[in-house]
């Protein structure tokens, strides 16, 4: 337990008033603010959300405290992280009691986990609800009491509904639960009737929840002229590349992601598009084979819901074939470190010592990246709030959009978007957003033809079309 307290303290010292903007983070905060202040679902002023509302609903009370509630949000994330850590420890203790503390530590000090812990994104909420869903559904399968199994299945169903409300891919946990239940039926540890009833009870509401959101998302994307966020289905249906090259690239990305999460210091090591014959990929392939070996040993030992979900999860994101750093497979991090343990336990002479060395290396990387990169980045970015506030004056009620030139850093552009609660897209060429009447640009850049300066703040200027009433 003292080690778990130490992990909690390491996260507590990262609680901060700084915001690390990303396009998704702006959208989540806009939806949360809309829920808290207007009791409606709106994303940057539009009815098309583009994202499930679970995470925004969870953090929405913060906007009842302040218009920029970043300390409150940071505290909320810390509480979620503690609940997640308790779940990871309980889950790993059921699989590997002697290694549970070290496995929990490998998750909690991972540099990727720290990166997303500091950002207002849905990863942490999703991981927290997912690990407790796994614990509850595992218990439902393993209990010998019919009454207790029913109660645990009902609890797991509620958690699954919450999970898919945070991210649609949570529905894959229902598939993993079905596989685990059917395997237990095959092992004669569960009756057919009970297994099928449990699968139906857990999966049906979650499937209905995902279906309802997808229908709403598609409908609002079609009818809202201001929709700037695509639907997740469009990523599959409107892919620019043929299926086989896309799947090959998706497979390479996901194998790389496993390695980047497991190997200390390689979380930013990335080979270019389509490069299979690269030293990084060779390392990641070796790690992936080790993880698959551990997964096979885990599944032979225990019918675990998270382990049974992993193949569905991996295949889905291989088909998705988009690169998002380590975001997509981060929710599988507890399983990845558990698989690593099951792989090295019979091979290493001192497997616990190997885990301890790996833990120390991951902690050094996480601390180094936080202090050397993230703190300076956060300090520099959050100095721009005053400038963004000046530029935002009068823009909340203005018609049309503000377009930022590519010389404006993402931090300033997204801060302005947050303040005016409207999209501020990036203009990368002169022809893009040619009908825009307001531009955000660097002060030292020449004014585009037809525009004049309306307002200046620090290194930025707001340009409006000459003769525009805005």
């Amino acid at each position: 337990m003292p080690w778990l307290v130490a992990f909690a303290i390491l996260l507590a010292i990262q609680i901060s008033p700084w915001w690390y903007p990303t396009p998704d983070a702006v959208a989540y905060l806009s939806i949360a603010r809309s829920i808290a202040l207007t009791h409606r679902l709106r994303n940057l002023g539009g009815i098309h959300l583009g994202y499930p509302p679970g995470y925004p609903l969870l953090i929405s009370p913060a906007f009842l405290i302040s218009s920029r509630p970043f300390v409150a949000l940071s505290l909320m994330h810390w509480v979620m992280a503690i609940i997640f850590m308790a779940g990871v420890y309980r889950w790993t203790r059921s699989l590997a009691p002697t290694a549970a503390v070290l496995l929990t530590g490998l998750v909690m000090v991972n540099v990727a986990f720290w990166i997303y812990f500091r950002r207002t994104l849905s990863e942490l909420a999703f991981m927290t609800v997912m690990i407790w869903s796994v614990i509850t559904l595992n218990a439902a399968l393993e209990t010998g009491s019919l009454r207790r199994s029913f109660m645990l299945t009902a609890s797991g169903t509620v958690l699954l509904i919450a999970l898919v409300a945070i991210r649609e891919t949570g529905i894959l946990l229902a598939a993993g639960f079905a596989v685990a239940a059917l395997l237990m039926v095959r092992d004669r540890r569960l009756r057919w009737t009970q297994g099928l009833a449990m699968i139906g009870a857990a999966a049906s509401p979650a499937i209905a929840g995902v279906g309802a959101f997808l229908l709403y998302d598609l409908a609002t994307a079609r009818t809202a002229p201001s929709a700037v966020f695509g639907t997740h289905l469009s990523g599959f249906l409107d892919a620019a590349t043929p299926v086989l090259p896309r799947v090959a690239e998706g497979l390479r990305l996901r194998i790389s992601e496993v390695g980047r999460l497991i190997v200390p210091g390689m979380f930013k090591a990335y080979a270019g598009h389509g490069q299979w014959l690269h030293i990084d990929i060779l390392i990641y392939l070796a790690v992936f084979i080790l993880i698959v070996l551990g997964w096979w040993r885990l599944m032979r030992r225990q019918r675990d819901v998270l382990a049974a979900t992993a193949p569905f999860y991996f295949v889905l994101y291989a088909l998705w074939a988009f690169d998002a750093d380590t975001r997509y497979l981060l929710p599988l991090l507890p399983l990845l470190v558990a698989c690593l343990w099951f792989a090295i336990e019979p091979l290493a002479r001192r497997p616990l010592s190997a885990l301890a060395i790996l833990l120390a290396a991951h902690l050094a990387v996480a601390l180094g990246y936080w202090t050397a990169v993230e703190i300076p980045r956060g300090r520099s970015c959050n100095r721009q709030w005053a400038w963004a506030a000046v530029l935002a004056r009068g823009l909340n009620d203005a018609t049309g959009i503000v377009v930022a030139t590519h010389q404006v850093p993402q931090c300033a552009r997204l801060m302005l978007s947050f303040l005016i609660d409207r999209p501020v897209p990036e203009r990368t060429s002169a022809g893009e957003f040619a009908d825009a009447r307001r531009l955000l640009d660097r002060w030292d850049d020449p004014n585009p033809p037809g525009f004049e300066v309306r307002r200046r703040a620090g290194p930025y200027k707001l340009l409006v079309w000459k003769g525009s009433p805005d």
Side-chain angles (χ1 to χ4, degrees):
M1 283 302 178
W3 283 107
L4 300 185
V5 173
F7 301 145
I9 292 171
L10 283 171
L11 295 174
I13 61 177
Q14 298 177 56
I15 295 172
S16 159
W18 291 346
W19 182 45
Y20 292 86
T22 73
D24 288 357
V26 177
Y28 283 127
L29 293 184
S30 177
I31 300 169
R33 179 169 49 197
S34 178
I35 292 171
L37 303 183
T38 70
H39 310 296
R40 296 185 299 173
L41 289 172
R42 295 289 185 272
N43 183 359
L44 296 176
I47 62 172
H48 179 232
L49 298 183
Y51 303 84
Y55 173 65
L57 180 63
L58 185 64
I59 64 172
S60 61
F63 284 94
L64 300 175
I65 300 170
S66 167
S67 60
R68 278 190 246 167
F70 299 114
V71 172
L73 290 168
S74 192
L75 282 166
M76 285 181 172
H77 272 220
W78 182 75
V79 172
M80 278 189 268
I82 300 308
I83 297 170
F84 170 68
M85 179 175 66
V88 172
Y89 178 69
R90 180 168 174 175
W91 179 74
T92 53
R93 192 176 59 182
S94 70
L95 295 173
T98 58
V101 171
L102 289 171
L103 294 175
T104 302
L106 280 172
V107 174
M108 301 311 296
V109 305
N110 189 283
V111 64
F113 180 78
W114 279 22
I115 288 170
Y116 293 104
F117 166 75
R118 290 187 290 267
R119 282 157 175 78
T120 50
L121 296 167
S122 64
E123 272 68 29
L124 181 55
F126 184 78
M127 293 170 74
T128 302
V129 176
M130 186 172 76
I131 196 66
W132 283 101
S133 300
V134 168
I135 291 168
T136 305
L137 293 171
N138 277 341
L141 291 173
E142 292 165 4
T143 183
S145 166
L146 188 62
R147 180 174 178 272
R148 181 168 168 76
S149 177
F150 171 78
M151 293 177 63
L152 287 168
T153 302
S155 300
T157 301
V158 172
L159 288 170
L160 272 178
I161 294 170
L163 190 65
V164 298
I166 295 170
R167 189 177 289 175
E168 308 99 298
T169 50
I171 193 63
L172 298 177
L173 203 67
F177 177 63
V179 170
L182 292 174
L183 287 173
M184 291 194 70
V185 168
R186 191 194 67 176
D187 297 340
R188 300 184 185 279
R189 296 171 58 190
L190 205 63
R191 293 195 302 271
W192 271 105
T193 52
Q194 184 183 353
L196 293 176
M198 292 170 71
I199 293 169
S204 299
I207 292 171
V210 171
F213 172 74
L214 291 178
L215 289 174
Y216 173 84
D217 194 42
L218 289 170
T220 53
R222 291 193 194 102
T223 59
S226 61
V228 295
F229 302 97
T231 67
H232 287 167
L233 284 178
S234 65
F236 289 105
L237 303 178
D238 301 324
T241 56
V243 173
L244 289 180
R246 177 158 52 97
V247 171
E249 178 62 9
L251 186 63
R252 189 187 68 85
L253 288 171
R254 302 294 82 88
I255 290 173
S256 298
E257 205 167 335
V258 170
R260 291 164 72 183
L261 286 168
I262 293 297
V263 182
M266 292 194 72
F267 67 103
K268 292 290 184 182
Y270 174 69
H273 183 87
Q275 292 188 27
W276 281 93
L277 298 177
H278 189 279
I279 183 61
D280 292 348
I281 297 298
L282 297 178
I283 294 171
Y284 296 151
L285 275 171
V287 172
F288 183 73
I289 291 169
L290 197 64
I291 295 299
V292 171
L293 174 64
W295 175 85
W296 180 252
R297 288 174 174 165
L298 190 161
M299 282 297 293
R300 290 182 65 186
R301 184 176 302 186
Q302 189 162 329
R303 304 311 189 189
D304 180 76
V305 171
L306 185 56
T309 302
F312 298 104
Y313 198 95
F314 186 87
V315 168
L316 176 71
Y317 279 108
L319 293 172
W320 182 243
F322 290 101
D323 184 21
D325 193 53
T326 55
R327 260 185 97 179
Y328 292 146
L329 292 194
L330 181 62
L332 293 185
L333 182 58
L335 177 66
L336 296 179
V337 298
C339 291
L340 181 66
W341 166 255
F342 281 102
I344 69 170
E345 184 187 16
L347 300 177
R349 180 175 299 178
R350 295 183 178 179
L352 288 176
S353 298
L355 281 190
I357 293 169
L358 190 63
L359 173 61
H362 273 293
L363 178 58
V365 171
L367 285 170
Y369 187 76
W370 176 46
T371 55
V373 177
E374 290 274 81
I375 288 178
R377 177 183 292 164
R379 182 183 294 115
S380 173
C381 179
N382 283 266
R383 284 174 180 159
Q384 304 190 55
W385 276 115
W387 302 332
V390 171
L391 295 168
R393 290 174 190 166
L395 291 177
N396 302 67
D397 301 322
T399 57
I401 61 173
V402 180
V403 176
T405 65
H406 67 276
Q407 288 88 354
V408 176
Q410 178 178 263
C411 181
R413 177 171 65 85
L414 296 180
M415 281 183 171
L416 180 62
S417 179
F418 171 82
L419 290 173
I420 67 175
D421 201 29
R422 293 290 185 275
V424 180
E426 182 183 13
R427 180 184 187 181
T428 56
S429 64
E432 195 173 19
F433 301 106
D435 58 344
R437 292 297 177 262
R438 290 186 299 277
L439 292 176
L440 178 64
D441 201 358
R442 298 278 306 187
W443 175 254
D444 51 2
D445 287 335
N447 295 347
F451 284 87
E452 60 186 3
V453 177
R454 177 59 55 88
R455 195 172 295 122
R456 178 186 178 182
Y460 310 112
K461 59 186 174 184
L462 180 67
L463 299 157
V464 298
W465 185 257
K466 291 179 181 178
S468 171
D470 295 337

